[in-house]
Amino acid sequence: MKLHVNGTEHEVAATPDMPLLWALRDLMGLTGTKFGCGIAQCGACTVHVDGSPRRACVTPVEAVAGKKITTIEGLSKDGSHPVQRAWAELDVVQCGYCQSGQIMSAAALLAKVPAPSDTDIDQALSGNICRCGTYPRIRAAVHRAAELTKT
């Protein structure tokens, strides 16, 4: 099966029903996308499919064949994406486990809503759970990323 991931087409030995998460992690070595709950409730496995956030743990590879998939590794090679820069600048991460999913959801939001309100942020990231409770820093970082995107 061919998957277009982070700008490159990859041939993977995956069954059509294999969750995208396992194709990314086990077959392609892209371990930035995390396994959290396995039932699309926590958001740790969030990737972009054609620019929209999607839970990789419940998305079969056959559903994304021919589509553009972006993982946390594909946002930037050097951490220069505005969301990644804002996360580092505001020291958002505590344990860090959920953060790749949080960042991917935030990047998708900012691509559609360049200057989001607190409500926009809360709604867009409501499916991403942070057990450490860094929600105020996450919200502040999304606002900061919006500022960085303007400059």
Side-chain angles (χ1 to χ4, degrees), residues 92-129:
V92 171
V93 178
Q94 202 162 323
C95 86
Y97 199 81
C98 71
Q99 295 306 309
S100 61
Q102 300 277 3
I103 288 169
M104 295 304 288
S105 291
L109 168 65
L110 290 171
K112 291 181 182 176
V113 183
S117 66
D118 286 348
T119 301
D120 294 331
I121 295 167
D122 293 347
Q123 287 176 348
L125 277 74
S126 67
N128 294 80
I129 296 171

Side-chain angles (χ1 to χ4, degrees), residues 24 34 64:
L24 294 170
K34 304 299 184 196
V64 295

Side-chain angles (χ1 to χ4, degrees), residues 23-133:
L24 294 170
R25 290 182 60 81
D26 294 347
L27 303 180
M28 300 174 66
L30 297 170
T31 58
T33 304
K34 304 299 184 196
F35 174 78
C37 66
I39 57 172
Q41 297 298 302
C42 73
C45 67
T46 303
V47 298
H48 295 173
V49 176
D50 288 340
S52 295
R54 179 85 68 90
R55 302 298 191 254
C57 70
V58 296
T59 301
V61 292
E62 69 183 342
V64 295
K67 297 182 179 186
K68 293 180 181 178
I69 302 161
T70 305
T71 68
I72 188 75
E73 293 93 344
L75 278 186
S76 70
K77 294 180 192 246
D78 59 359
S80 62
H81 187 280
V83 176
Q84 293 169 313
R85 289 174 42 214
W87 247 248
E89 184 179 310
L90 298 181
D91 199 22
V92 171
V93 178
Q94 202 162 323
C95 86
Y97 199 81
C98 71
Q99 295 306 309
S100 61
Q102 300 277 3
I103 288 169
M104 295 304 288
S105 291
L109 168 65
L110 290 171
K112 291 181 182 176
V113 183
S117 66
D118 286 348
T119 301
D120 294 331
I121 295 167
D122 293 347
Q123 287 176 348
L125 277 74
S126 67
N128 294 80
I129 296 171
C130 176
R131 293 182 61 90
C132 298

